[in-house]
Amino acid sequence: MATHHLAALFAERAKAHPEREFLVFGSRRMSYAQAEREALALADAFAGLGVQPGDRLAVDLPNWPEWVVTFLAAAYRGAVLVPLDPSLSLHELKYQLRQAEVRAVHGVPTMFELLMRDPSFEEQRPTTCRSGLVAGSPVSPELAGRIRQWCDVQIAYGLTETGPTVTITRFGDAPERRTHTVGRAVPGVEVRVVDLQSGALHGPEAVGEVAVKGPNVMLGYYRMPGETARSLTPEGFFLTGDLAIVDDEGYVRIVGRRNEVIIRGGYKIYPRELEDLLRTHPAVGDACVVGIPNETLGELICACVVATEGSIVTGDELKEFCRESVADNKVPDLVRFFDAFPLTGSGKVKRRELTQVVGLELSATT
């Protein structure tokens, strides 16, 4: 590698000043050594995805530290980074993917969904994309299958506090595990599930909170000792707030967020299960299930739905569709239709906002 190459220059700086502050983002701080460690690990993951020197790598990330780490990782791998602007229209995004001859695409599920939902997508699919990552929010098996018809992506899971990647699927995994799980832990990272009440370790196939330990885990929240104490165990595990099942071979299946669990009449309902089911209905483009406060049952199950273009479907039809596959206590009490969901800058649905909208609607009609 040439001495004037970005990767060589950064490696030289990291060797000379490993503990010097390299990046500041709000309360987050990264040293040269931390950034180098994460960039090298990501570059190795790119190699596992089949990214070769000279390949063009499309990345859809907000302006945060992971973007910088990805930029450095691409440099270490010798790839060309193609930043995707989240504000691009579908036509602009398709044009950029084609003109840049992108080989690998990294993005959130919403980006892939909107791209494929465009009427012209089937006629003009990107032909150069061969791999990539989809992460940032839950990936339904149905969505993963549709993406892999034109780009053989892997599914990854992680959080900002974990550097971010914790687990990832691999090409050698069985098809079922590549579709229904977020893979196994990356090298050097330990993943466990713990009981929500006692904090004790769970055995395989039991639902618990995901706990992560490794060199990728943050030291703590800047100037937030209370939140740090609540999030990190004495053994150094970070409690993610995500609920999952880990099988006996280490594959992780995310079932939801701890603060998103709906308790209806004493029963725990995991929104992810219903959302994945609803997305298999041909008239449903996207779904988000939230809990609405109720005096009798504690919470009602509300399925918020974005219908596919041109489809006509009723709430009762979707309830019956769910009733065929889940227990009666899991069938949505309410179905509300939206033209589009409110999204965060990273493409995640603003669940609290949906809850407020439906709650206000109910209060206005009762």
Side-chain angles (χ1 to χ4, degrees), residues 1-10 74-76 78:
M1 184 179 294
T3 56
H4 62 275
H5 191 282
L6 172 64
L9 292 172
F10 182 79
Y76 276 118

Side-chain angles (χ1 to χ4, degrees), residues 90 112-119 121 285-286 306-309:
L90 291 176
F112 286 98
E113 181 63 62
L114 292 176
L115 178 65
M116 295 186 295
R117 195 181 296 175
D118 185 82
F121 178 79
D286 201 0
V306 175
T308 55
E309 188 174 355

Side-chain angles (χ1 to χ4, degrees), residues 203-214:
E205 307 300 338
V207 174
E209 182 173 2
V210 178
V212 181
K213 184 178 182 180

Side-chain angles (χ1 to χ4, degrees), residues 19-326:
E19 300 309 316
R20 181 173 293 181
E21 201 166 73
F22 164 68
L23 187 149
V24 178
F25 182 76
S27 62
R28 294 182 64 190
R29 302 289 193 274
M30 289 184 74
S31 67
Y32 276 90
Q34 289 173 315
E36 181 183 44
R37 182 171 59 243
E38 293 186 13
L40 287 171
L42 184 55
D44 185 61
F46 286 162
L49 290 171
V51 176
Q52 300 298 321
D55 279 353
R56 290 170 171 82
L57 177 66
V59 176
D60 177 21
L61 282 174
N63 186 26
W64 56 17
E66 285 73 24
W67 196 100
V68 179
V69 171
T70 303
F71 182 64
L72 292 171
Y76 276 118
R77 187 60 188 157
V80 179
L81 193 70
V82 180
L84 299 179
D85 184 345
S87 66
L88 289 177
S89 69
L90 291 176
H91 295 293
E92 291 169 328
L93 176 60
K94 288 189 296 181
Y95 177 84
Q96 189 173 12
L97 290 175
R98 291 194 187 95
Q99 294 303 310
E101 297 184 351
V102 169
R103 298 290 189 271
V105 185
H106 292 6
V108 297
T110 303
M111 184 198 81
F112 286 98
E113 181 63 62
L114 292 176
L115 178 65
M116 295 186 295
R117 195 181 296 175
D118 185 82
S120 66
F121 178 79
E122 289 299 326
E123 300 173 4
Q124 298 177 311
R125 290 189 178 193
T127 57
T128 61
C129 301
R130 61 171 180 251
S131 186
L133 287 176
V134 55
S137 58
V139 184
S140 69
E142 184 269 341
L143 176 60
R146 284 192 289 125
I147 298 173
R148 285 172 178 155
Q149 291 177 12
W150 59 275
C151 185
D152 196 14
V153 296
Q154 301 294 353
I155 299 173
Y157 162 73
L159 303 91
T160 298
E161 293 90 341
T162 60
T165 307
V166 173
T167 67
I168 187 172
T169 57
R170 276 84 163 176
F171 287 115
D173 291 338
E176 172 78 8
R177 282 171 164 158
R178 282 195 72 206
T179 302
H180 289 79
T181 77
V182 293
R184 292 167 293 157
V186 298
V189 174
E190 185 178 354
V191 177
R192 300 181 179 182
V193 291
V194 300
D195 186 87
L196 296 179
Q197 273 72 45
S198 67
L201 292 176
H202 270 321
E205 307 300 338
V207 174
E209 182 173 2
V210 178
V212 181
K213 184 178 182 180
N216 57 324
V217 174
M218 66 171 189
L219 296 177
Y221 294 104
Y222 186 62
R223 294 184 178 178
M224 299 173 66
E227 187 64 26
T228 297
R230 284 190 291 271
S231 301
L232 292 170
T233 70
E235 297 79 23
F237 281 90
F238 173 71
L239 301 175
T240 65
D242 290 313
L243 302 179
I245 296 171
V246 181
D247 69 19
D248 53 6
E249 292 187 43
Y251 288 88
V252 180
R253 180 162 64 88
I254 305 295
V255 299
R257 288 284 295 170
R258 181 172 184 169
N259 59 3
E260 292 171 1
V261 174
I262 300 168
I263 300 180
R264 180 189 184 278
Y267 291 96
K268 289 183 179 180
I269 312 297
Y270 299 105
R272 172 76 185 272
E273 179 184 4
L274 282 174
E275 291 164 357
D276 286 352
L277 173 60
L278 286 164
R279 290 188 186 111
T280 64
H281 192 286
V284 175
D286 201 0
C288 181
V289 175
V290 297
I292 306 299
N294 178 264
E295 292 183 2
T296 305
L297 294 171
E299 287 182 289
L300 298 177
I301 305 170
C302 178
C304 301
V305 172
V306 175
T308 55
E309 188 174 355
S311 297
I312 299 176
V313 65
T314 66
D316 286 340
E317 288 173 340
L318 292 179
K319 290 179 185 179
E320 287 303 315
F321 175 76
C322 292
R323 189 167 282 113
E324 293 174 1
S325 302
V326 299

